[in-house]
Amino acid sequence: MNKTIDLLLKNDVSKLKRPTKDVEITRLSELYGEPFVVTCQALTPSEFNELQESISINVEGNIELDNNIQVLTILKGTKDPDFKSKELMDHFSVPTPKDLVQKIFLSGEISSIYTTITDLSGFGKDSVKEIKNS
């Protein structure tokens, strides 16, 4: 049998968990006087596919990203805090989770959180390495 198949079959399926990572937003930590931590998690393939639906191809064949793709990724790839919390949205006087993310974070912070989520989801440069044939 194939070595890779053997490797998959001999290991516990429960070990295949979504990777998570905590990131601290230093500006908010300084503002609130204690660590402000966001727990990011990898996107599942179905979550990624939903995000792909936000991508369109224009007439010239160029890909156009919904300008909120980073925010949408954060909403799907953030474990804590829950930006869909009605209590949080009411507290910040915003109607939607997207508005909440944009009210709490600066553009660079949104970009950094987005990058963390995409790296966890396997899009980082170190996720896959090429093996030279011998």
Side-chain angles (χ1 to χ4, degrees):
M1 202 179 286
N2 181 303
K3 286 197 298 187
T4 305
I5 290 174
D6 288 341
L7 184 63
L8 289 168
L9 289 173
K10 76 177 183 179
N11 283 294
D12 185 356
V13 174
S14 68
K15 289 182 179 182
L16 292 173
K17 295 183 181 180
R18 290 167 80 166
T20 61
K21 183 176 186 177
D22 290 337
V23 294
E24 182 177 357
I25 309 302
T26 53
R27 175 185 64 89
L28 295 175
S29 293
E30 291 170 6
L31 177 68
Y32 294 128
E34 59 184 86
F36 187 95
V37 176
V38 175
T39 303
C40 300
Q41 64 185 359
L43 299 176
T44 64
S46 62
E47 289 170 333
F48 180 74
N49 288 337
E50 288 174 28
L51 285 172
Q52 290 294 90
E53 293 173 6
S54 300
I55 297 173
S56 61
I57 298 178
N58 65 20
V59 179
E60 293 81 30
N62 297 321
I63 293 175
E64 293 180 343
L65 294 178
D66 178 314
N67 61 355
N68 293 312
I69 195 79
Q70 290 183 333
V71 173
L72 294 173
T73 301
I74 289 170
L75 292 175
K76 290 191 180 297
T78 300
K79 195 172 181 178
D80 185 55
D82 178 7
F83 295 115
K84 297 173 186 160
S85 161
K86 175 101 172 89
E87 185 178 11
L88 273 178
M89 288 187 287
D90 289 346
H91 180 74
F92 282 89
S93 301
V94 295
T96 68
K98 280 173 47 174
D99 293 323
L100 180 61
V101 168
Q102 292 173 328
K103 187 154 189 174
I104 293 173
F105 300 114
L106 299 174
S107 297
E109 294 163 345
I110 289 172
S111 180
S112 293
I113 296 167
Y114 167 81
T115 299
T116 299
I117 294 166
T118 57
D119 285 351
L120 287 170
S121 301
F123 293 100
K125 63 180 171 96
D126 296 328
S127 295
V128 176
K129 65 180 179 180
E130 189 175 328
I131 299 174
K132 298 191 185 236
N133 293 331
S134 49

